[in-house]
């Protein structure tokens, strides 16, 4: 089976109603990014940070996967599919995808501030006083600015084995995720699905300048032909 690697960003979740990162009216509005998405911000005001992610977590239960999530999951019938996402929601999994790698963490998980490998599933609010088994405060399982991206090595390995690369709903401007397309083989077909594509000068890239739901359907038609 051919291996399709799909890199997804905020654009695919936006059509489900998940507010996008630092967009106008987006979920960072009213907060300096470093206040709510950095170790320094957490150290300065942990309650603010925990509440910020509690709101994001609650919002997840109000949204549903859209047709792009579901169409990508259905690709598994005929292809090996690996989703590498910058999103912290669970919409790919709820849409039916079985092989999802989260670069920037997951809203529905928390981890110990003492041991970053002590990770737990978590669906309710996280508050000060919620502790790991060793008695240390739990924090959102989110990769904050200035922190290592532990899954990047795995993501690179995945991209190196891609027969087809699809990039959906991401500007590919944020590193290290932005560097992932450099790890696919030179002759690998690349499809970019985004209403405002930024990579169209690459000759290997087929641009589909549409939102994710429309663009994935067009990609599926191209795949058939």
């Amino acid at each position: 089976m051919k291996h399709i690697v799909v890199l997804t960003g905020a654009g695919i979740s936006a059509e489900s109603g998940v507010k996008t990162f630092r967009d106008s009216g987006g979920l960072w509005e009213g907060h300096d990014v470093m206040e709510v998405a950095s170790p320094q911000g957490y150290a300065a005001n942990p309650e603010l940070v925990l509440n910020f992610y509690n709101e994001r977590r609650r919002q997840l239960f109000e949204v549903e996967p859209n047709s792009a999530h579901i169409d990508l999951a259905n690709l598994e019938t005929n292809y090996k599919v690996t989703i590498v996402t910058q999103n912290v929601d669970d919409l790919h999994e709820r849409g039916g995808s079985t092989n999802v790698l989260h670069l920037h963490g997951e809203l529905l998980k928390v981890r110990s501030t003492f041991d970053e490998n002590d990770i737990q599933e978590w669906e309710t609010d996280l508050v000060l006083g919620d502790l790991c088994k060793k008695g240390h405060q739990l924090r959102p399982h989110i990769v904050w600015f200035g922190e290592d991206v532990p899954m990047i090595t795995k993501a690179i390995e995945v991209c190196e084995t891609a027969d087809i690369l699809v990039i959906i709903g991401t500007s590919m401007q944020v590193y290290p995720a932005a560097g992932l397309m450099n790890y696919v083989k030179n002759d690998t077909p690349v499809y970019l699905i985004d209403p405002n594509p930024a990579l169209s000068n690459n000759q290997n890239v087929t641009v589909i300048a549409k939102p994710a739901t429309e663009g994935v359907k067009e990609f599926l038609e191209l795949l058939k032909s």
Side-chain angles (χ1 to χ4, degrees):
M1 294 176 89
K2 283 195 171 182
H3 186 195
I4 298 179
V5 176
V6 187
L7 306 181
T8 67
I12 194 169
S13 295
E15 289 187 81
S16 286
V18 177
K19 294 177 182 175
T20 57
F21 175 68
R22 276 195 287 184
D23 269 7
S24 173
L27 53 84
W28 309 88
E29 189 128 320
H31 293 287
D32 180 279
V33 169
M34 301 308 283
E35 280 183 352
V36 293
S38 72
Q40 296 87 348
Y42 181 74
N45 194 340
E47 197 163 19
L48 171 73
V49 174
L50 294 181
N51 286 338
F52 179 83
Y53 290 99
N54 287 340
E55 289 177 21
R56 310 282 76 75
R57 194 179 302 108
R58 285 183 220 129
Q59 188 199 20
L60 270 192
F61 298 105
E62 299 170 2
V63 299
E64 297 292 338
N66 59 55
S67 66
H69 295 107
I70 294 164
D71 287 342
L72 290 174
N74 290 338
L75 270 177
E76 294 185 16
T77 305
N78 297 308
Y79 298 89
K80 177 184 177 183
V81 181
T82 306
I83 308 284
V84 179
T85 187
Q86 298 172 74
N87 299 334
V88 295
D89 59 61
D90 65 337
L91 293 175
H92 281 298
E93 288 89 343
R94 281 159 58 193
S97 289
T98 61
N99 192 12
V100 185
L101 193 159
H102 286 268
L103 284 178
H104 294 159
E106 299 177 61
L107 271 177
L108 296 182
K109 291 182 180 177
V110 298
R111 70 174 187 255
S112 169
T113 50
F114 175 73
D115 177 6
E116 64 182 20
N117 296 311
D118 182 356
I119 301 166
Q120 302 179 36
E121 306 280 339
W122 200 272
E123 294 190 353
T124 59
D125 283 1
L126 180 65
V127 299
L128 290 176
D130 286 330
L131 309 177
C132 72
K133 289 173 184 165
K134 294 182 179 174
H136 299 271
Q137 176 65 39
L138 294 166
R139 56 160 275 185
H141 182 49
I142 303 290
V143 177
W144 288 330
F145 286 98
E147 294 185 322
D148 290 335
V149 181
M151 299 304 288
I152 196 68
T153 302
K154 176 68 175 169
I156 288 170
E157 292 170 359
V158 166
C159 288
E160 288 173 337
T161 67
D163 295 305
I164 299 170
L165 180 69
V166 189
I167 302 168
I168 306 173
T170 171
S171 65
M172 295 300 285
Q173 303 298 307
V174 178
Y175 284 83
L180 285 174
M181 67 175 297
N182 298 325
Y183 290 93
V184 299
K185 297 183 285 289
N186 288 334
D187 58 348
T188 302
V190 178
Y191 295 84
L192 172 63
I193 301 169
D194 195 274
N196 303 295
L199 295 171
S200 53
N201 59 340
N202 186 315
Q203 61 183 3
N204 276 348
V205 176
T206 300
V207 175
I208 302 173
K210 294 181 177 178
T213 50
E214 296 174 39
V216 170
K217 290 192 187 306
E218 185 168 320
F219 164 69
L220 296 180
E221 289 302 314
L222 291 171
L223 203 54
K224 286 178 189 172
S225 61

